Amino acid sequence: MSGFCGLNIKLGIYGESHGKSIGILLDGLPPGLALDLEKITLEMGRRAPGKNILSTARKETDAFEIQSGFFNGYTTGTPLCAVIKNSDQHSKDYSILADKMRPGHADYAGYVRYQGFNDYRGGGQFSGRLTAPLVFAGAIAKQALAQYGIVIGAHILSIADLQEAGFSPMGVADDLLADIAAKSFPVADDVIGQKMQERIVAAKAELNSVGGVIETIVQHMPAGIGAPYFDSLESRLSQALFSVPAVKAVEFGDGFALTAKTGAETNDELHYVDGRVVGYTNHNGGITGGITNGMPVLFRVGIKPTPSISREQRTVSLKEKQDTTLTIVGRHDPCIVQRAVPVIEAVTAWTMWDLLIEAKKWER
């Protein structure tokens, strides 16, 4: 398992879905960074399961305990370790999965990769449970970015075939992002949001699941962040985003729609506004040459339908080496999009902060 990432601040996660705990180690945090623990708790609560019929019935508070690197309200500059206890596992629901592989899950790929020694309960290290430590790290990064006036927000753009209006690529009100983040179902349009929720409930009643798209915007990010080729902002963000379970697509700016247009239509022409160079448009999502250009960074991620559904599905028995069927039991989300929103914000914040620190090394 590759559980570490980061250029300047190393982030490491550990644990399995049904282990005693999951957690995170942050190495390289600057000393003297004030942390508001209540804000971190609020971010953790946005992702936590078991709050309504739209998510799994597994009840985890995602309460964290900081073990080191934090004293008298400030980071000390030494590695910060935080532990999140697992308290509501139903491991017996997964005993059959030692032999029968769940379609759409990492069961078979993980079995081969780890030679059958992987913890299969609840998906083990492949579980979305391990996104809780990512939200913890992102909550710290958000507080650090706020010192520079940088704001990150996201919303559910679509569930199945239902879609609300996207963010303006030229930017939105910071208050709107705060209002969306405060909602249990983070959309801008509550009328369409209600229809989305009804679609999720209907899928659950049909023993099925649905996916969707999350749109994220980073506002007030200075130009010059990121570096070609392998540390381009798209490269680093994509790596972080694809590390979130169930993310199957990433699109920056107008994305694939750019391919059907001309350069004259998609080049973001420039002008001065109050001494700043800005674009008349923002088709490229605030990134050119892998580097921020001062416009809002805008991208979308595609979240696949939850693979755990309660219908009978075709699979294989590794023990018998033959085809068989499987009906998954246990507690599962009929849609994980709404709980993934704070996770996408978190890995975005962490990546932006890490690259911002890298860029500041070059300042004179």
Side-chain angles (χ1 to χ4, degrees):
M1 177 178 175
S2 178
F4 294 88
C5 70
L7 288 174
N8 299 279
I9 302 174
K10 303 297 182 182
L11 178 157
I13 60 172
Y14 76 86
E16 293 86 24
S17 178
H18 286 216
K20 291 183 179 181
S21 68
I22 55 178
I24 190 163
L25 180 68
L26 306 176
D27 188 16
L29 291 178
L33 176 64
L35 296 183
D36 186 330
L37 300 187
E38 289 187 7
K39 288 184 178 179
I40 297 177
T41 299
L42 286 173
E43 290 291 328
M44 300 295 286
R46 294 175 63 200
R47 194 219 70 95
K51 293 186 290 188
N52 54 51
I53 61 174
L54 301 179
S55 69
T56 172
R58 178 174 179 174
K59 294 187 180 298
E60 298 283 4
T61 63
D62 283 357
F64 58 89
E65 181 179 301
I66 297 178
Q67 304 281 308
S68 65
F70 181 70
F71 184 65
N72 286 338
Y74 296 89
T75 56
T76 63
T78 59
L80 189 152
C81 175
V83 173
I84 303 166
K85 299 290 181 63
N86 288 330
S87 60
D88 189 24
Q89 310 97 309
H90 285 189
S91 296
K92 61 181 175 57
D93 291 342
Y94 295 89
S95 57
I96 194 174
L97 303 183
D99 174 45
K100 294 185 178 182
M101 306 289 99
R102 293 173 298 176
H105 277 278
D107 294 355
Y108 177 65
Y111 179 91
V112 174
R113 173 66 178 81
Y114 295 106
Q115 304 173 52
F117 292 100
N118 56 299
D119 184 347
Y120 54 79
R121 300 169 302 168
Q125 68 266 42
F126 299 104
S127 171
R129 179 86 186 114
L130 270 78
T131 61
L134 296 180
V135 173
F136 177 88
I140 292 177
K142 281 185 175 182
Q143 293 185 40
L145 291 173
Q147 298 179 351
Y148 300 95
I150 298 168
V151 177
I152 296 172
H155 71 126
I156 300 172
L157 179 63
S158 67
I159 294 291
D161 59 347
L162 294 169
Q163 180 170 323
E164 72 170 6
F167 288 146
S168 167
M170 304 302 287
V172 298
D174 292 344
D175 288 346
L176 172 62
L177 300 180
D179 290 344
I180 293 173
K183 298 179 181 180
S184 60
F185 196 78
V187 292
D189 188 328
D190 291 331
V191 174
I192 297 178
Q194 181 59 39
K195 294 179 180 178
M196 291 178 178
Q197 294 178 68
E198 291 169 359
R199 180 64 57 86
I200 295 171
V201 172
K204 182 178 183 179
E206 296 167 357
L207 307 182
N208 214 340
S209 63
V210 291
V213 175
I214 296 171
E215 185 175 54
T216 304
I217 193 166
V218 184
Q219 304 205 122
H220 320 305
M221 195 74 182
I225 308 303
Y229 283 91
F230 304 113
D231 286 325
S232 74
L233 184 54
E234 290 110 327
S235 302
R236 293 293 311 285
L237 270 176
S238 294
Q239 180 185 23
L241 294 167
F242 279 119
S243 297
V244 178
V247 171
K248 300 301 290 185
V250 176
E251 179 182 59
F252 294 93
D254 288 357
F256 283 103
L258 291 170
T259 65
K261 298 178 181 179
T262 67
E265 293 174 299
T266 59
N267 287 342
D268 298 314
E269 296 178 295
L270 304 174
H271 65 139
Y272 276 102
V273 175
D274 298 327
R276 288 183 59 239
V277 175
V278 299
Y280 286 100
T281 56
N282 189 22
H283 298 293
N284 288 281
I287 307 170
T288 43
I291 303 171
T292 56
N293 57 30
M295 298 296 288
V297 173
L298 184 69
F299 63 88
R300 290 164 291 280
V301 297
I303 308 291
K304 74 175 185 177
T306 314
S308 288
I309 58 176
S310 298
R311 296 184 179 188
E312 184 177 83
Q313 299 179 86
R314 295 171 294 180
T315 187
V316 295
S317 166
L318 298 183
K319 181 179 180 180
E320 302 296 333
K321 296 187 184 302
Q322 64 182 20
D323 296 344
T324 185
T325 60
L326 172 67
T327 300
I328 299 174
V329 297
R331 305 163 299 172
H332 308 287
D333 295 84
C335 179
I336 63 171
V337 177
Q338 68 276 14
R339 291 180 57 210
V341 169
V343 183
I344 298 303
E345 290 181 14
V347 297
T348 301
W350 185 265
T351 303
M352 292 304 213
W353 187 29
D354 195 29
L355 287 176
L356 183 65
I357 293 172
E358 180 70 15
K360 287 190 172 296
K361 292 179 180 180
W362 297 86
E363 289 184 356
R364 294 185 178 181

